Amino acid sequence: MKDTYWEGETETMDRRALQALQLHRLNETIASARNSDFYRGKLPVRVERLEEIETLPFTTKQDLRDSFPAGMVAVPKEDLVRLHSSSGTTGRATVVYHTKRDIDVWADLCARSMYMTGMRNTDVFQNMMGYGLFTGGLGLHYGAERLGALTIPASSGNSKRQIRLMCDFHTTAFHITPSYALHLYGVFCEEGVDPKRDLPLRIALLGAEPYSEGTRRKIEKLYGIDAFNSYGLSEMSGPGVAFECTYKEGMHVWEDAFLLEVIDPKTGTPLTDGDEGELVFTTLRREGMPLIRYRTGDIASVNRKGCPCGRTHRRISRIKGRSDDMLIIKGVNIYPMQIEKILMDIPEVGNNYLIEIDTVDYLDTLVVKIEVGQKTFHGTISELEGLKRRITDLLRTEILIHPKVVLVEHGSLPPSEGKAVRVIDRRGEK
Ligand code: ADP
Ligand code: ZN
């Protein structure tokens, strides 16, 4: 048991015991949240059954912004030891505060997650996520130290230095955004280093942005490693909310620390397991800033089946995107991830792409710029035209509208060193 799991008793707890624990912790959370300015007067004293969570109000990103800087803090200021702020991908940043115990619990969840992927204290872990206010850096940093891995706090960017660190210290595991992993591979090629041949790499933790199964497979193949999906958000502390086990069929949500619901993003109605909807989380172990029914905007579904790994915590599917990532082009709803899914299954497609939307003569236009490898780019015109037609047809079948496909040379699109910007929407700019 000890070798298989980091915290075996909790990870494999039977569902009824887990739910009893959740109810107990939910009531602790409610009691503590009632001390904050934001939740005061909004919550019952306690709930008798877990299902009663549905009677509690949602908390939104806008609520977090409105209670800036500290309206949701539930403990005296002297108990707070750290704050983190989200990167503000979709608007003004929000702040989350932590007590010493919060940081401790978070480190445990991260260590548990990494252990689940097969990382051990013999690993050399290079953390290529931004350190600082962003939670991706410090979050897994403390988790990796707790695990006992030799941790390199490389932070993001500076690709040549990343490669040098990997070579010098024989990195075996790394944490990176999928878009940066694809970009970094190009730099590996320029430097004449083959990560598969020249380095002892074995595990990559990929998170912080949506990506397709094809992207994972591509990264695994390029680097000769196993890549695991890692999901988190600063409102739920950061990474360590849900992580894949070695079966790689969905991410186990740590349900002893987060109460998970899936709702219809339009009506707010709870959905049953298996239906795709918006993830909603309630913190069950956070003292500094408890959050009740936080609407993440992230779209996914819950897997009803048990996992062969023996962990009883439910798994969620890959995140399809945020509800506000959805594009409406010519009246059709499209998620950028649908486009990535198609592209990454085409072998000639390189490691970067960009979606541009504009208005021409009052009509929406969709241009998909795609990097292709040197050999393909310098092939014959008819080969290139053929590839372009093939991609256009595949995309049209998936998204139901006709995109203009532009094939560009490797390295000509803006590189990603953190969260990638995949969509440029110029409609409404003129
Ligand atoms: P911001 O909201 O400003 O981007 P965060 O760092 O809190 O700041 O980002 C968390 C968000 O990143 C999640 O809500 C989700 O949309 C996205 N995200 C994180 N991990 C993943 C993942 N593995 N797959 C897809 N999206 C992810
Ligand atoms: Zn599992």
Side-chain angles (χ1 to χ4, degrees), residues 264-302:
D264 178 330
K266 285 205 194 79
T267 61
T269 321
L271 300 173
T272 41
D273 281 3
D275 290 342
E276 189 173 271
E278 178 178 347
L279 303 178
V280 170
F281 290 108
T282 298
T283 60
L284 294 176
R285 298 208 67 192
R286 205 162 58 203
E287 295 176 331
M289 194 172 134
L291 288 182
I292 307 280
R293 303 193 85 199
Y294 178 70
R295 291 189 61 158
T296 62
D298 294 327
I299 305 293
S301 58
V302 171

Side-chain angles (χ1 to χ4, degrees), residues 61 65 85-94 129 133-136 178 206-211 228-239 242 251 281 294-299 317-325 337 419:
K61 206 170 193 96
R65 291 190 184 120
S85 174
S86 89
S87 49
T89 311
T90 56
R92 191 174 146 189
T94 51
M129 289 281 188
L133 288 172
F134 176 59
T135 55
L206 303 179
E209 62 187 10
Y211 60 108
F228 297 91
N229 199 358
S230 149
Y231 170 77
L233 59 161
S234 28
E235 292 80 1
M236 293 296 120
S237 298
M251 299 178 277
F281 290 108
Y294 178 70
R295 291 189 61 158
T296 62
D298 294 327
I299 305 293
S317 67
R318 191 170 279 288
I319 310 285
K320 190 168 165 190
R322 303 192 203 219
S323 44
D324 44 15
D325 279 346
M337 209 31 55
K419 286 185 193 247

Side-chain angles (χ1 to χ4, degrees), residues 106-209:
W106 184 19
D108 264 331
L109 291 173
C110 289
R112 193 200 281 181
S113 304
M114 287 188 265
Y115 195 88
M116 179 164 66
T117 69
M119 272 182 64
R120 293 294 180 266
N121 58 7
T122 42
D123 274 297
V124 177
F125 174 65
Q126 188 160 329
N127 193 1
M128 306 190 200
M129 289 281 188
Y131 276 64
L133 288 172
F134 176 59
T135 55
L138 286 173
L140 282 201
H141 178 96
Y142 280 86
E145 286 189 354
R146 172 103 7 135
L147 183 78
L150 173 58
T151 305
I152 310 176
S155 199
S156 61
N158 204 339
S159 303
K160 286 187 183 165
R161 193 189 60 175
Q162 299 284 7
I163 294 171
R164 207 170 53 240
L165 288 169
M166 287 175 132
C167 294
D168 286 348
F169 301 112
H170 308 290
T171 301
T172 58
F174 59 114
H175 180 209
I176 190 165
T177 59
S179 56
Y180 187 38
L182 290 173
H183 170 68
L184 187 68
Y185 185 77
V187 184
F188 263 110
C189 296
E190 286 162 19
E191 296 291 290
V193 182
D194 178 351
K196 212 152 123 181
R197 189 195 56 207
D198 303 333
L199 292 171
L201 293 173
R202 57 185 207 97
I203 288 175
L205 312 176
L206 303 179
E209 62 187 10

